PDB file of all heavy atoms in Angstrom:
ATOM      1  N   LYS Y  38      -9.014  14.505 187.331  1.00 97.00           N
ATOM      2  CA  LYS Y  38      -8.568  15.657 186.532  1.00 97.00           C
ATOM      3  C   LYS Y  38      -9.764  16.255 185.743  1.00 97.00           C
ATOM      4  O   LYS Y  38      -9.898  17.465 185.630  1.00 97.00           O
ATOM      5  CB  LYS Y  38      -7.442  15.248 185.568  1.00 97.00           C
ATOM      6  CG  LYS Y  38      -6.149  14.957 186.356  1.00 97.00           C
ATOM      7  CD  LYS Y  38      -5.041  14.682 185.423  1.00 97.00           C
ATOM      8  CE  LYS Y  38      -3.641  14.445 186.071  1.00 97.00           C
ATOM      9  NZ  LYS Y  38      -3.158  15.617 186.759  1.00 97.00           N
ATOM     10  N   ASP Y  39     -10.611  15.370 185.204  1.00 97.00           N
ATOM     11  CA  ASP Y  39     -11.810  15.912 184.469  1.00 97.00           C
ATOM     12  C   ASP Y  39     -12.699  16.750 185.362  1.00 97.00           C
ATOM     13  O   ASP Y  39     -13.550  17.585 184.957  1.00 97.00           O
ATOM     14  CB  ASP Y  39     -12.604  14.754 183.867  1.00 97.00           C
ATOM     15  CG  ASP Y  39     -11.881  14.087 182.746  1.00 97.00           C
ATOM     16  OD1 ASP Y  39     -10.791  14.791 182.196  1.00 97.00           O
ATOM     17  OD2 ASP Y  39     -12.211  12.980 182.285  1.00 97.00           O
ATOM     18  N   ALA Y  40     -12.769  16.336 186.709  1.00 97.00           N
ATOM     19  CA  ALA Y  40     -13.560  17.059 187.730  1.00 97.00           C
ATOM     20  C   ALA Y  40     -12.840  18.248 188.254  1.00 97.00           C
ATOM     21  O   ALA Y  40     -13.426  18.954 189.204  1.00 97.00           O
ATOM     22  CB  ALA Y  40     -13.920  16.062 188.830  1.00 97.00           C
ATOM     23  N   GLY Y  41     -11.741  18.581 187.788  1.00 96.00           N
ATOM     24  CA  GLY Y  41     -11.035  19.773 188.233  1.00 96.00           C
ATOM     25  C   GLY Y  41      -9.869  19.604 189.232  1.00 96.00           C
ATOM     26  O   GLY Y  41      -9.271  20.556 189.707  1.00 96.00           O
ATOM     27  N   TYR Y  42      -9.590  18.361 189.627  1.00 97.00           N
ATOM     28  CA  TYR Y  42      -8.544  18.068 190.523  1.00 97.00           C
ATOM     29  C   TYR Y  42      -7.280  17.860 189.762  1.00 97.00           C
ATOM     30  O   TYR Y  42      -6.667  16.747 189.607  1.00 97.00           O
ATOM     31  CB  TYR Y  42      -8.837  16.865 191.433  1.00 97.00           C
ATOM     32  CG  TYR Y  42     -10.057  17.028 192.258  1.00 97.00           C
ATOM     33  CD1 TYR Y  42     -11.242  16.542 191.899  1.00 97.00           C
ATOM     34  CD2 TYR Y  42      -9.951  17.691 193.524  1.00 97.00           C
ATOM     35  CE1 TYR Y  42     -12.403  16.686 192.673  1.00 97.00           C
ATOM     36  CE2 TYR Y  42     -11.015  17.814 194.322  1.00 97.00           C
ATOM     37  CZ  TYR Y  42     -12.332  17.374 193.923  1.00 97.00           C
ATOM     38  OH  TYR Y  42     -13.389  17.456 194.715  1.00 97.00           O
ATOM     39  N   GLU Y  43      -6.656  18.982 189.207  1.00 95.00           N
ATOM     40  CA  GLU Y  43      -5.574  18.939 188.282  1.00 95.00           C
ATOM     41  C   GLU Y  43      -4.326  18.334 188.824  1.00 95.00           C
ATOM     42  O   GLU Y  43      -3.471  17.769 188.139  1.00 95.00           O
ATOM     43  CB  GLU Y  43      -5.269  20.402 187.734  1.00 95.00           C
ATOM     44  CG  GLU Y  43      -6.397  20.911 186.880  1.00 95.00           C
ATOM     45  CD  GLU Y  43      -6.581  20.183 185.530  1.00 95.00           C
ATOM     46  OE1 GLU Y  43      -5.627  19.523 185.064  1.00 95.00           O
ATOM     47  OE2 GLU Y  43      -7.681  20.190 184.958  1.00 95.00           O
ATOM     48  N   ASN Y  44      -4.030  18.464 190.185  1.00 94.00           N
ATOM     49  CA  ASN Y  44      -2.822  17.974 190.760  1.00 94.00           C
ATOM     50  C   ASN Y  44      -2.855  16.562 191.266  1.00 94.00           C
ATOM     51  O   ASN Y  44      -2.058  16.191 191.994  1.00 94.00           O
ATOM     52  CB  ASN Y  44      -2.286  18.994 191.784  1.00 94.00           C
ATOM     53  CG  ASN Y  44      -3.270  19.244 192.902  1.00 94.00           C
ATOM     54  OD1 ASN Y  44      -4.259  18.443 193.019  1.00 94.00           O
ATOM     55  ND2 ASN Y  44      -3.072  20.230 193.723  1.00 94.00           N
ATOM     56  N   ALA Y  45      -3.961  15.913 190.967  1.00 97.00           N
ATOM     57  CA  ALA Y  45      -4.100  14.537 191.370  1.00 97.00           C
ATOM     58  C   ALA Y  45      -2.948  13.652 190.796  1.00 97.00           C
ATOM     59  O   ALA Y  45      -2.564  13.690 189.645  1.00 97.00           O
ATOM     60  CB  ALA Y  45      -5.405  13.871 191.000  1.00 97.00           C
ATOM     61  N   GLU Y  46      -2.231  12.870 191.626  1.00 97.00           N
ATOM     62  CA  GLU Y  46      -1.163  12.073 191.180  1.00 97.00           C
ATOM     63  C   GLU Y  46      -1.179  10.682 191.950  1.00 97.00           C
ATOM     64  O   GLU Y  46      -1.732  10.593 193.051  1.00 97.00           O
ATOM     65  CB  GLU Y  46       0.182  12.801 191.419  1.00 97.00           C
ATOM     66  CG  GLU Y  46       0.489  13.158 192.809  1.00 97.00           C
ATOM     67  CD  GLU Y  46       1.784  13.965 193.002  1.00 97.00           C
ATOM     68  OE1 GLU Y  46       2.103  14.664 192.109  1.00 97.00           O
ATOM     69  OE2 GLU Y  46       2.384  13.775 194.079  1.00 97.00           O
ATOM     70  N   ALA Y  47      -0.587   9.718 191.221  1.00 97.00           N
ATOM     71  CA  ALA Y  47      -0.681   8.372 191.814  1.00 97.00           C
ATOM     72  C   ALA Y  47       0.805   7.818 191.969  1.00 97.00           C
ATOM     73  O   ALA Y  47       1.646   8.056 191.204  1.00 97.00           O
ATOM     74  CB  ALA Y  47      -1.460   7.433 190.891  1.00 97.00           C
ATOM     75  N   LYS Y  48       0.920   7.021 192.971  1.00 97.00           N
ATOM     76  CA  LYS Y  48       2.153   6.290 193.304  1.00 97.00           C
ATOM     77  C   LYS Y  48       1.833   4.802 193.200  1.00 97.00           C
ATOM     78  O   LYS Y  48       1.034   4.278 194.021  1.00 97.00           O
ATOM     79  CB  LYS Y  48       2.749   6.613 194.636  1.00 97.00           C
ATOM     80  CG  LYS Y  48       3.971   5.918 194.987  1.00 97.00           C
ATOM     81  CD  LYS Y  48       4.472   6.416 196.419  1.00 97.00           C
ATOM     82  CE  LYS Y  48       5.740   5.549 196.845  1.00 97.00           C
ATOM     83  NZ  LYS Y  48       6.126   5.932 198.267  1.00 97.00           N
ATOM     84  N   LYS Y  49       2.440   4.072 192.252  1.00 97.00           N
ATOM     85  CA  LYS Y  49       2.155   2.620 192.163  1.00 97.00           C
ATOM     86  C   LYS Y  49       3.258   1.795 192.859  1.00 97.00           C
ATOM     87  O   LYS Y  49       4.080   2.275 193.409  1.00 97.00           O
ATOM     88  CB  LYS Y  49       2.084   2.281 190.610  1.00 97.00           C
ATOM     89  CG  LYS Y  49       0.970   3.021 189.777  1.00 97.00           C
ATOM     90  CD  LYS Y  49       1.007   2.462 188.382  1.00 97.00           C
ATOM     91  CE  LYS Y  49      -0.029   3.146 187.561  1.00 97.00           C
ATOM     92  NZ  LYS Y  49      -0.072   2.642 186.126  1.00 97.00           N
ATOM     93  N   GLY Y  50       3.057   0.442 192.721  1.00 96.00           N
ATOM     94  CA  GLY Y  50       4.062  -0.453 193.239  1.00 96.00           C
ATOM     95  C   GLY Y  50       3.960  -0.604 194.798  1.00 96.00           C
ATOM     96  O   GLY Y  50       5.022  -0.838 195.443  1.00 96.00           O
ATOM     97  N   LEU Y  51       2.832  -0.420 195.341  1.00 98.00           N
ATOM     98  CA  LEU Y  51       2.663  -0.512 196.825  1.00 98.00           C
ATOM     99  C   LEU Y  51       1.841  -1.745 197.196  1.00 98.00           C
ATOM    100  O   LEU Y  51       1.265  -2.358 196.430  1.00 98.00           O
ATOM    101  CB  LEU Y  51       1.947   0.746 197.291  1.00 98.00           C
ATOM    102  CG  LEU Y  51       2.614   2.111 197.037  1.00 98.00           C
ATOM    103  CD1 LEU Y  51       1.747   3.244 197.425  1.00 98.00           C
ATOM    104  CD2 LEU Y  51       3.935   2.146 197.860  1.00 98.00           C
ATOM    105  N   ALA Y  52       1.939  -2.082 198.487  1.00 97.00           N
ATOM    106  CA  ALA Y  52       1.164  -3.287 199.034  1.00 97.00           C
ATOM    107  C   ALA Y  52       0.770  -2.981 200.460  1.00 97.00           C
ATOM    108  O   ALA Y  52       1.297  -2.100 201.100  1.00 97.00           O
ATOM    109  CB  ALA Y  52       2.099  -4.443 198.928  1.00 97.00           C
ATOM    110  N   LYS Y  53      -0.263  -3.672 200.866  1.00 98.00           N
ATOM    111  CA  LYS Y  53      -0.754  -3.579 202.228  1.00 98.00           C
ATOM    112  C   LYS Y  53      -0.416  -4.810 203.060  1.00 98.00           C
ATOM    113  O   LYS Y  53      -0.713  -5.876 202.587  1.00 98.00           O
ATOM    114  CB  LYS Y  53      -2.305  -3.300 202.164  1.00 98.00           C
ATOM    115  CG  LYS Y  53      -2.904  -3.039 203.510  1.00 98.00           C
ATOM    116  CD  LYS Y  53      -4.343  -2.635 203.418  1.00 98.00           C
ATOM    117  CE  LYS Y  53      -5.167  -3.732 202.779  1.00 98.00           C
ATOM    118  NZ  LYS Y  53      -6.582  -3.248 202.729  1.00 98.00           N
ATOM    119  N   VAL Y  54       0.224  -4.590 204.163  1.00 98.00           N
ATOM    120  CA  VAL Y  54       0.391  -5.733 205.140  1.00 98.00           C
ATOM    121  C   VAL Y  54      -0.348  -5.439 206.358  1.00 98.00           C
ATOM    122  O   VAL Y  54      -0.538  -4.310 206.871  1.00 98.00           O
ATOM    123  CB  VAL Y  54       1.970  -5.870 205.523  1.00 98.00           C
ATOM    124  CG1 VAL Y  54       2.796  -6.340 204.356  1.00 98.00           C
ATOM    125  CG2 VAL Y  54       2.545  -4.606 206.042  1.00 98.00           C
ATOM    126  N   SER Y  55      -1.044  -6.533 206.813  1.00 98.00           N
ATOM    127  CA  SER Y  55      -1.969  -6.421 207.966  1.00 98.00           C
ATOM    128  C   SER Y  55      -1.795  -7.477 208.952  1.00 98.00           C
ATOM    129  O   SER Y  55      -1.574  -8.575 208.689  1.00 98.00           O
ATOM    130  CB  SER Y  55      -3.430  -6.401 207.361  1.00 98.00           C
ATOM    131  OG  SER Y  55      -3.635  -5.506 206.287  1.00 98.00           O
ATOM    132  N   ILE Y  56      -2.007  -7.011 210.234  1.00 98.00           N
ATOM    133  CA  ILE Y  56      -2.078  -8.006 211.342  1.00 98.00           C
ATOM    134  C   ILE Y  56      -3.523  -8.093 211.778  1.00 98.00           C
ATOM    135  O   ILE Y  56      -4.210  -7.126 211.829  1.00 98.00           O
ATOM    136  CB  ILE Y  56      -1.056  -7.690 212.493  1.00 98.00           C
ATOM    137  CG1 ILE Y  56      -1.404  -6.234 213.107  1.00 98.00           C
ATOM    138  CG2 ILE Y  56       0.278  -7.750 212.105  1.00 98.00           C
ATOM    139  CD1 ILE Y  56      -0.613  -5.886 214.310  1.00 98.00           C
ATOM    140  N   VAL Y  57      -3.980  -9.310 212.081  1.00 97.00           N
ATOM    141  CA  VAL Y  57      -5.423  -9.458 212.452  1.00 97.00           C
ATOM    142  C   VAL Y  57      -5.470 -10.266 213.784  1.00 97.00           C
ATOM    143  O   VAL Y  57      -4.711 -11.255 213.985  1.00 97.00           O
ATOM    144  CB  VAL Y  57      -6.149 -10.185 211.401  1.00 97.00           C
ATOM    145  CG1 VAL Y  57      -7.539 -10.498 211.873  1.00 97.00           C
ATOM    146  CG2 VAL Y  57      -6.138  -9.450 210.137  1.00 97.00           C
ATOM    147  N   GLY Y  58      -6.357  -9.781 214.709  1.00 94.00           N
ATOM    148  CA  GLY Y  58      -6.504 -10.612 215.971  1.00 94.00           C
ATOM    149  C   GLY Y  58      -7.667  -9.984 216.805  1.00 94.00           C
ATOM    150  O   GLY Y  58      -7.623  -8.799 217.059  1.00 94.00           O
ATOM    151  N   ALA Y  59      -8.586 -10.789 217.226  1.00 90.00           N
ATOM    152  CA  ALA Y  59      -9.647 -10.260 218.043  1.00 90.00           C
ATOM    153  C   ALA Y  59      -9.210  -9.753 219.399  1.00 90.00           C
ATOM    154  O   ALA Y  59      -9.878  -8.955 220.034  1.00 90.00           O
ATOM    155  CB  ALA Y  59     -10.741 -11.372 218.239  1.00 90.00           C
ATOM    156  N   GLY Y  60      -8.048 -10.174 219.749  1.00 89.00           N
ATOM    157  CA  GLY Y  60      -7.607  -9.828 221.182  1.00 89.00           C
ATOM    158  C   GLY Y  60      -6.758  -8.572 221.209  1.00 89.00           C
ATOM    159  O   GLY Y  60      -6.490  -8.083 222.296  1.00 89.00           O
ATOM    160  N   MET Y  61      -6.506  -7.855 220.042  1.00 90.00           N
ATOM    161  CA  MET Y  61      -5.663  -6.699 220.053  1.00 90.00           C
ATOM    162  C   MET Y  61      -6.221  -5.539 220.742  1.00 90.00           C
ATOM    163  O   MET Y  61      -5.541  -4.700 221.282  1.00 90.00           O
ATOM    164  CB  MET Y  61      -5.129  -6.346 218.606  1.00 90.00           C
ATOM    165  CG  MET Y  61      -6.224  -5.860 217.700  1.00 90.00           C
ATOM    166  SD  MET Y  61      -5.350  -5.240 216.108  1.00 90.00           S
ATOM    167  CE  MET Y  61      -4.524  -6.654 215.637  1.00 90.00           C
ATOM    168  N   ALA Y  62      -7.625  -5.486 220.776  1.00 84.00           N
ATOM    169  CA  ALA Y  62      -8.280  -4.335 221.425  1.00 84.00           C
ATOM    170  C   ALA Y  62      -7.991  -4.359 222.924  1.00 84.00           C
ATOM    171  O   ALA Y  62      -8.068  -3.335 223.600  1.00 84.00           O
ATOM    172  CB  ALA Y  62      -9.817  -4.446 221.168  1.00 84.00           C
ATOM    173  N   THR Y  63      -7.721  -5.509 223.534  1.00 87.00           N
ATOM    174  CA  THR Y  63      -7.491  -5.598 224.898  1.00 87.00           C
ATOM    175  C   THR Y  63      -5.988  -5.790 225.368  1.00 87.00           C
ATOM    176  O   THR Y  63      -5.636  -6.068 226.441  1.00 87.00           O
ATOM    177  CB  THR Y  63      -8.252  -6.829 225.572  1.00 87.00           C
ATOM    178  OG1 THR Y  63      -7.923  -7.972 224.878  1.00 87.00           O
ATOM    179  CG2 THR Y  63      -9.759  -6.571 225.452  1.00 87.00           C
ATOM    180  N   HIS Y  64      -5.123  -5.653 224.289  1.00 89.00           N
ATOM    181  CA  HIS Y  64      -3.664  -5.789 224.541  1.00 89.00           C
ATOM    182  C   HIS Y  64      -2.999  -4.499 223.993  1.00 89.00           C
ATOM    183  O   HIS Y  64      -2.827  -4.298 222.894  1.00 89.00           O
ATOM    184  CB  HIS Y  64      -3.087  -7.000 223.699  1.00 89.00           C
ATOM    185  CG  HIS Y  64      -3.431  -8.311 224.338  1.00 89.00           C
ATOM    186  ND1 HIS Y  64      -4.681  -8.816 224.241  1.00 89.00           N
ATOM    187  CD2 HIS Y  64      -2.672  -9.190 224.959  1.00 89.00           C
ATOM    188  CE1 HIS Y  64      -4.693 -10.015 224.813  1.00 89.00           C
ATOM    189  NE2 HIS Y  64      -3.514 -10.242 225.321  1.00 89.00           N
ATOM    190  N   PRO Y  65      -2.719  -3.605 224.904  1.00 91.00           N
ATOM    191  CA  PRO Y  65      -2.014  -2.344 224.615  1.00 91.00           C
ATOM    192  C   PRO Y  65      -0.654  -2.567 223.981  1.00 91.00           C
ATOM    193  O   PRO Y  65       0.005  -3.645 224.381  1.00 91.00           O
ATOM    194  CB  PRO Y  65      -1.791  -1.577 225.976  1.00 91.00           C
ATOM    195  CG  PRO Y  65      -2.830  -2.237 226.990  1.00 91.00           C
ATOM    196  CD  PRO Y  65      -2.905  -3.654 226.419  1.00 91.00           C
ATOM    197  N   GLY Y  66      -0.242  -1.701 223.059  1.00 94.00           N
ATOM    198  CA  GLY Y  66       1.081  -1.738 222.448  1.00 94.00           C
ATOM    199  C   GLY Y  66       1.176  -2.639 221.205  1.00 94.00           C
ATOM    200  O   GLY Y  66       2.292  -2.818 220.701  1.00 94.00           O
ATOM    201  N   VAL Y  67       0.019  -3.212 220.735  1.00 96.00           N
ATOM    202  CA  VAL Y  67       0.202  -4.073 219.494  1.00 96.00           C
ATOM    203  C   VAL Y  67       0.639  -3.183 218.278  1.00 96.00           C
ATOM    204  O   VAL Y  67       1.487  -3.667 217.512  1.00 96.00           O
ATOM    205  CB  VAL Y  67      -1.193  -4.748 219.252  1.00 96.00           C
ATOM    206  CG1 VAL Y  67      -1.139  -5.504 217.847  1.00 96.00           C
ATOM    207  CG2 VAL Y  67      -1.522  -5.639 220.336  1.00 96.00           C
ATOM    208  N   ALA Y  68       0.075  -2.020 218.087  1.00 96.00           N
ATOM    209  CA  ALA Y  68       0.432  -1.097 216.950  1.00 96.00           C
ATOM    210  C   ALA Y  68       1.911  -0.703 217.117  1.00 96.00           C
ATOM    211  O   ALA Y  68       2.658  -0.796 216.096  1.00 96.00           O
ATOM    212  CB  ALA Y  68      -0.423   0.108 216.967  1.00 96.00           C
ATOM    213  N   CYS Y  69       2.379  -0.469 218.323  1.00 97.00           N
ATOM    214  CA  CYS Y  69       3.805  -0.084 218.514  1.00 97.00           C
ATOM    215  C   CYS Y  69       4.687  -1.270 218.128  1.00 97.00           C
ATOM    216  O   CYS Y  69       5.755  -1.052 217.472  1.00 97.00           O
ATOM    217  CB  CYS Y  69       4.020   0.340 219.958  1.00 97.00           C
ATOM    218  SG  CYS Y  69       5.688   0.819 220.324  1.00 97.00           S
ATOM    219  N   SER Y  70       4.271  -2.441 218.517  1.00 97.00           N
ATOM    220  CA  SER Y  70       5.166  -3.576 218.176  1.00 97.00           C
ATOM    221  C   SER Y  70       5.256  -3.839 216.721  1.00 97.00           C
ATOM    222  O   SER Y  70       6.284  -4.135 216.110  1.00 97.00           O
ATOM    223  CB  SER Y  70       4.563  -4.858 218.832  1.00 97.00           C
ATOM    224  OG  SER Y  70       4.688  -4.707 220.286  1.00 97.00           O
ATOM    225  N   MET Y  71       4.152  -3.628 216.022  1.00 98.00           N
ATOM    226  CA  MET Y  71       4.033  -3.802 214.548  1.00 98.00           C
ATOM    227  C   MET Y  71       5.024  -2.714 213.860  1.00 98.00           C
ATOM    228  O   MET Y  71       5.782  -3.146 213.064  1.00 98.00           O
ATOM    229  CB  MET Y  71       2.725  -3.500 213.969  1.00 98.00           C
ATOM    230  CG  MET Y  71       2.541  -3.622 212.551  1.00 98.00           C
ATOM    231  SD  MET Y  71       0.838  -3.285 211.903  1.00 98.00           S
ATOM    232  CE  MET Y  71       1.046  -3.621 210.206  1.00 98.00           C
ATOM    233  N   PHE Y  72       4.927  -1.498 214.228  1.00 98.00           N
ATOM    234  CA  PHE Y  72       5.706  -0.453 213.663  1.00 98.00           C
ATOM    235  C   PHE Y  72       7.179  -0.627 213.986  1.00 98.00           C
ATOM    236  O   PHE Y  72       8.080  -0.358 213.190  1.00 98.00           O
ATOM    237  CB  PHE Y  72       5.269   0.856 214.124  1.00 98.00           C
ATOM    238  CG  PHE Y  72       3.804   1.230 213.840  1.00 98.00           C
ATOM    239  CD1 PHE Y  72       3.004   1.974 214.681  1.00 98.00           C
ATOM    240  CD2 PHE Y  72       3.160   0.638 212.712  1.00 98.00           C
ATOM    241  CE1 PHE Y  72       1.622   2.179 214.346  1.00 98.00           C
ATOM    242  CE2 PHE Y  72       1.803   0.794 212.456  1.00 98.00           C
ATOM    243  CZ  PHE Y  72       1.063   1.653 213.322  1.00 98.00           C
ATOM    244  N   GLU Y  73       7.530  -1.131 215.217  1.00 98.00           N
ATOM    245  CA  GLU Y  73       8.841  -1.495 215.647  1.00 98.00           C
ATOM    246  C   GLU Y  73       9.468  -2.451 214.652  1.00 98.00           C
ATOM    247  O   GLU Y  73      10.650  -2.364 214.220  1.00 98.00           O
ATOM    248  CB  GLU Y  73       8.950  -1.842 217.066  1.00 98.00           C
ATOM    249  CG  GLU Y  73      10.312  -2.123 217.578  1.00 98.00           C
ATOM    250  CD  GLU Y  73      10.339  -2.723 218.955  1.00 98.00           C
ATOM    251  OE1 GLU Y  73       9.334  -3.254 219.405  1.00 98.00           O
ATOM    252  OE2 GLU Y  73      11.380  -2.716 219.519  1.00 98.00           O
ATOM    253  N   ALA Y  74       8.668  -3.514 214.463  1.00 98.00           N
ATOM    254  CA  ALA Y  74       9.172  -4.623 213.628  1.00 98.00           C
ATOM    255  C   ALA Y  74       9.528  -4.258 212.163  1.00 98.00           C
ATOM    256  O   ALA Y  74      10.544  -4.602 211.550  1.00 98.00           O
ATOM    257  CB  ALA Y  74       8.099  -5.758 213.579  1.00 98.00           C
ATOM    258  N   LEU Y  75       8.667  -3.278 211.663  1.00 98.00           N
ATOM    259  CA  LEU Y  75       8.844  -2.787 210.292  1.00 98.00           C
ATOM    260  C   LEU Y  75       9.995  -1.862 210.234  1.00 98.00           C
ATOM    261  O   LEU Y  75      10.810  -1.975 209.293  1.00 98.00           O
ATOM    262  CB  LEU Y  75       7.571  -2.126 209.824  1.00 98.00           C
ATOM    263  CG  LEU Y  75       6.317  -3.079 209.579  1.00 98.00           C
ATOM    264  CD1 LEU Y  75       5.114  -2.301 209.166  1.00 98.00           C
ATOM    265  CD2 LEU Y  75       6.629  -4.174 208.598  1.00 98.00           C
ATOM    266  N   SER Y  76      10.112  -0.996 211.220  1.00 98.00           N
ATOM    267  CA  SER Y  76      11.165   0.002 211.207  1.00 98.00           C
ATOM    268  C   SER Y  76      12.570  -0.669 211.352  1.00 98.00           C
ATOM    269  O   SER Y  76      13.548  -0.219 210.834  1.00 98.00           O
ATOM    270  CB  SER Y  76      11.020   1.056 212.279  1.00 98.00           C
ATOM    271  OG  SER Y  76      11.116   0.460 213.558  1.00 98.00           O
ATOM    272  N   ALA Y  77      12.598  -1.785 212.123  1.00 98.00           N
ATOM    273  CA  ALA Y  77      13.837  -2.491 212.335  1.00 98.00           C
ATOM    274  C   ALA Y  77      14.433  -3.011 211.045  1.00 98.00           C
ATOM    275  O   ALA Y  77      15.552  -3.300 210.861  1.00 98.00           O
ATOM    276  CB  ALA Y  77      13.636  -3.636 213.342  1.00 98.00           C
ATOM    277  N   LYS Y  78      13.550  -3.313 210.040  1.00 97.00           N
ATOM    278  CA  LYS Y  78      13.925  -3.716 208.748  1.00 97.00           C
ATOM    279  C   LYS Y  78      14.065  -2.668 207.721  1.00 97.00           C
ATOM    280  O   LYS Y  78      14.236  -2.968 206.540  1.00 97.00           O
ATOM    281  CB  LYS Y  78      12.892  -4.822 208.235  1.00 97.00           C
ATOM    282  CG  LYS Y  78      12.838  -6.093 209.144  1.00 97.00           C
ATOM    283  CD  LYS Y  78      14.169  -6.850 209.066  1.00 97.00           C
ATOM    284  CE  LYS Y  78      14.055  -8.105 209.899  1.00 97.00           C
ATOM    285  NZ  LYS Y  78      15.301  -8.900 209.800  1.00 97.00           N
TER     286      LYS Y  78
END
């Protein structure tokens, strides 16, 4: 805001969930499976 970005706003109470695996680059559909699991809940 001091630098002129008057409409800067924040949303708190968030978290990051991550999946990790060296093999995901060679396995198509990993991202889709992740998003499917989250959307189902």
Side-chain angles (χ1 to χ4, degrees):
K38 288 185 181 293
D39 289 348
Y42 297 97
E43 292 294 337
N44 58 13
E46 57 186 30
K48 179 182 179 182
K49 297 182 180 181
L51 299 172
K53 181 171 64 175
V54 292
S55 308
I56 57 173
V57 174
M61 66 172 60
T63 56
H64 286 73
V67 175
C69 181
S70 295
M71 178 184 187
F72 304 149
E73 180 186 21
L75 295 176
S76 67
K78 296 293 183 180

